[in-house]
Amino acid sequence: MGDKTPFDEMYNPDGSVREPYRALAGWLGEQPDKALALMQTDAEAIFRKLGITFAVYGSEEGTEKVIPFDVIPRIIAANEWRRLSKGIEQRVKALNAFLYDIYHRQEILKAGRVPEKLILNNAAFCPQMMGLNPAKGVYAHIIGVDIVRTGPDDFYVLEDNLRTPSGVSYMLEDREAMMLLAPDLFHRSKVAPVETYPENLRRTLESVAPDGFKGQSPNIAVLTPGIYNSAYFEHSFLADQMGAQLCEGPDLFVDGGKVYMRTTTGPEQVDVIYRRIDDDYLDPLTFRPDSMLGVPGLFDAYRAGNVTLVNAPGTGIADDKAVYTYVPDIIEFYLGEKALLQNVPTYNCTDEDQRAWVLENIADLVVKEVHGSGGYGMMVGPTATKAQHAEFRKKIEARPDNYIVQPTLDLSTCPTHINGDVAPRHVDLRPYVLVGDEVRITPGGLTRVALKKGSLVVNSSQGGGTKDTWVLED
């Protein structure tokens, strides 16, 4: 997959402009010399004013950076989006059915479609969830599906993020910045709105209030680990946009099996908690006893059906990188349908023949740690050094179950503003999905762009940026 020219989302091979990009191409052609550079400067000022930063671990020059924003939007045609959203909806329905089954009768394991030891011995499997029935049967309410494109009709899912996917605030702020920076460009295209996300998030959270809830509207809290978390801006932003309370562990307490928030006017019962804290830290009485971030007794209140946790604990088993390879089987098992979106072909290093092939061809492959995230614990063969190849060979030989290996995909490129010029850079896409009384998919999502020439690593922690993502309406 690494030899051909990557698919260019704006230009056909003959140099003509692809249909969805025509209005943009016309607009770009009219911009005077320094216009994009000025927009870029304005964009940075907007983001600094909003305080959108992310933490970079292990970086010398201070830990807070403004995430780079590219002023040229990425554009998806209406028919392309219809196809993508159908495939995404199918995926999230199947994964929720899988989670229900795994924590109940485990039919898929009994049928031998997914290996039992892969689930039951997995750190992401949460035995405390066995037999628990979450409100409306939904486990993963907020999902970010990472998708890459390699051709006009070729889309692959790289991974499903069902724990606490982040980045949605960038999607919303990228759009807001773009509307300020290039209002004239919006007038030329019918772009589907994304600003309904906070309202849809609120609706989704209200729809999964505990089954016994009788009040007018459920009381919602966003539970954050606090200001030192790299996504704290997003936690406070979403709470603010939804009109929900932003809480840290000590702001909440459990009494008589119910969860309350401390307020200046006395305790208030909380019905739904959108938690941005990992499972391990949620409740020191059930999970890690040394956690200072969680709420003692929270899990028992959840088990008793007095509060809803979004996402449910234990959802991480469905986005585990080793379970990922079985998602097409999972879709078939629960929905009786073939997967509409393809998985990236993945090699299983525990199989001796596949491992031998991987070790020999490591220079062309991508190696990912099963539990790694954010671009850490991975190696992109073609851009890595011989020493890194040797290091990862050793790692795979020592712990073959700890790694998955995939071909290097030629991610599609989009025109990107680089030092006053426009040049193609590789992109991926994370659409955001809400699952409650219905499935709501925000048109577009977060496009991440690898700003270094030839780089395929789009993570902001590794020097990537973001773009506004436009889905055109018919």
Side-chain angles (χ1 to χ4, degrees):
M1 294 198 182
D3 302 328
K4 61 183 197 329
T5 310
F7 172 66
D8 189 315
E9 297 197 8
M10 181 160 168
Y11 294 105
N12 290 310
D14 65 4
S16 59
V17 175
R18 289 182 64 248
E19 181 69 40
Y21 278 87
R22 285 197 182 150
L24 174 67
W27 179 84
L28 279 172
E30 292 161 22
Q31 297 311 301
D33 265 7
K34 300 261 184 318
L36 290 178
L38 287 170
M39 276 173 72
Q40 202 70 59
T41 311
D42 289 349
E44 183 151 336
I46 291 168
F47 287 122
R48 278 211 186 278
K49 193 163 128 229
L50 291 166
I52 305 192
T53 56
F54 67 96
V56 182
Y57 303 103
S59 128
E60 294 298 309
E61 75 266 36
T63 53
E64 292 291 320
K65 281 188 169 179
V66 170
I67 195 163
F69 169 69
D70 181 61
V71 295
I72 302 175
R74 186 226 196 134
I75 302 177
I76 298 170
N79 60 337
E80 293 171 343
W81 179 250
R82 272 194 293 274
R83 204 185 127 205
L84 274 178
S85 53
K86 273 201 183 101
I88 293 166
E89 182 164 351
Q90 178 195 54
R91 217 167 159 98
V92 301
K93 283 181 172 166
L95 289 168
N96 268 303
F98 170 69
L99 285 162
Y100 187 89
D101 183 25
I102 286 303
Y103 291 118
H104 288 81
R105 297 182 56 179
Q106 303 186 335
E107 301 288 358
I108 198 163
L109 305 185
K110 289 176 190 151
R113 297 289 289 272
V114 172
E116 197 169 282
K117 71 173 195 300
L118 183 64
I119 303 299
L120 306 183
N121 302 346
N122 195 311
F125 177 73
C126 180
Q128 295 87 342
M129 286 294 292
M130 285 303 293
L132 191 153
N133 291 318
K136 305 271 189 302
V138 180
Y139 286 78
H141 315 76
I142 300 164
I143 300 168
V145 183
D146 288 346
I147 292 175
V148 295
R149 186 173 195 176
T150 59
D153 302 310
D154 303 314
F155 294 92
Y156 290 93
V157 175
L158 268 189
E159 59 185 304
D160 306 280
N161 299 282
L162 287 87
R163 301 173 203 217
T164 51
S166 64
V168 77
S169 58
Y170 297 135
M171 171 187 84
L172 296 167
E173 295 295 17
D174 285 359
R175 174 61 52 89
E176 201 170 318
M178 205 64 212
M179 289 176 96
L180 288 170
L181 295 164
D184 52 327
L185 182 52
F186 277 91
H187 294 316
R188 303 183 185 200
S189 311
K190 270 177 79 177
V191 183
V194 297
E195 49 275 18
T196 50
Y197 180 86
E199 175 58 29
N200 284 335
L201 175 58
R202 188 177 179 95
R203 279 190 195 150
T204 299
L205 297 175
E206 287 178 346
S207 76
V208 293
D211 292 334
F213 176 77
K214 295 285 184 285
Q216 280 292 297
S217 66
N219 207 358
I220 296 169
V222 177
L223 178 59
T224 174
I227 57 170
Y228 297 110
N229 182 272
S230 64
Y232 180 74
F233 166 81
E234 178 158 301
H235 309 163
S236 60
F237 174 84
L238 289 173
D240 186 46
Q241 295 276 310
M242 283 194 291
Q245 291 298 324
L246 181 68
C247 298
E248 294 182 31
D251 300 328
L252 301 174
F253 67 93
V254 176
D255 186 22
K258 296 188 169 128
V259 182
Y260 296 90
M261 180 179 0
R262 303 175 206 278
T263 75
T264 48
T265 53
E268 261 182 46
Q269 191 178 341
V270 176
D271 305 298
V272 180
I273 297 175
Y274 173 19
R275 50 96 178 200
R276 297 290 295 254
I277 289 179
D278 294 343
D279 289 6
D280 281 353
Y281 298 97
L282 272 174
D283 178 349
L285 301 182
T286 304
F287 303 108
R288 273 182 71 150
D290 62 344
S291 171
M292 306 296 286
L293 302 173
V295 183
L298 176 59
F299 193 80
D300 284 346
Y302 175 57
R303 229 192 139 82
N306 294 327
V307 69
T308 298
L309 293 176
V310 171
N311 290 350
T315 51
I317 189 67
D319 74 7
D320 179 86
K321 287 187 174 73
V323 173
Y324 159 89
T325 55
Y326 293 93
V327 173
D329 299 308
I330 287 169
I331 291 170
E332 213 163 303
F333 187 81
Y334 297 107
L335 305 182
E337 301 166 1
K338 288 262 182 262
L340 296 170
L341 288 173
Q342 294 173 277
N343 262 22
V344 180
T346 303
Y347 305 104
N348 174 359
C349 294
T350 56
D351 176 287
E352 214 168 302
D353 294 343
Q354 290 191 41
R355 183 167 69 245
W357 188 87
V358 160
L359 293 173
E360 199 168 311
N361 295 280
I362 203 158
D364 303 320
L365 302 168
V366 176
V367 182
K368 295 178 184 173
E369 223 174 276
V370 168
H371 297 297
S373 70
Y376 296 99
M378 73 182 272
M379 182 205 71
V380 180
T383 58
T385 61
K386 285 207 163 63
Q388 286 168 319
H389 295 159
E391 178 197 344
F392 271 84
R393 271 196 197 95
K394 278 203 192 91
K395 286 182 171 183
I396 291 170
E397 282 171 324
R399 290 225 25 217
D401 60 327
N402 199 35
Y403 295 92
I404 63 161
V405 179
Q406 295 170 334
T408 308
L409 290 184
D410 269 318
L411 306 192
S412 59
T413 64
C414 279
T416 303
H417 175 251
I418 306 283
N419 303 329
D421 276 338
V422 176
R425 289 292 184 268
H426 294 289
V427 290
D428 78 351
L429 178 66
R430 177 179 288 185
Y432 293 93
V433 191
L434 297 167
V435 184
D437 51 348
E438 57 181 278
V439 176
R440 298 176 172 97
I441 306 175
T442 305
L446 180 66
T447 287
R448 297 184 300 176
V449 53
L451 295 171
K452 290 181 193 138
K453 189 173 182 179
S455 170
L456 296 168
V457 182
V458 294
N459 307 66
S460 52
S461 55
Q462 313 276 320
T466 67
K467 282 174 168 288
D468 189 14
T469 309
W470 291 15
V471 170
L472 300 180
E473 295 183 314
D474 286 334

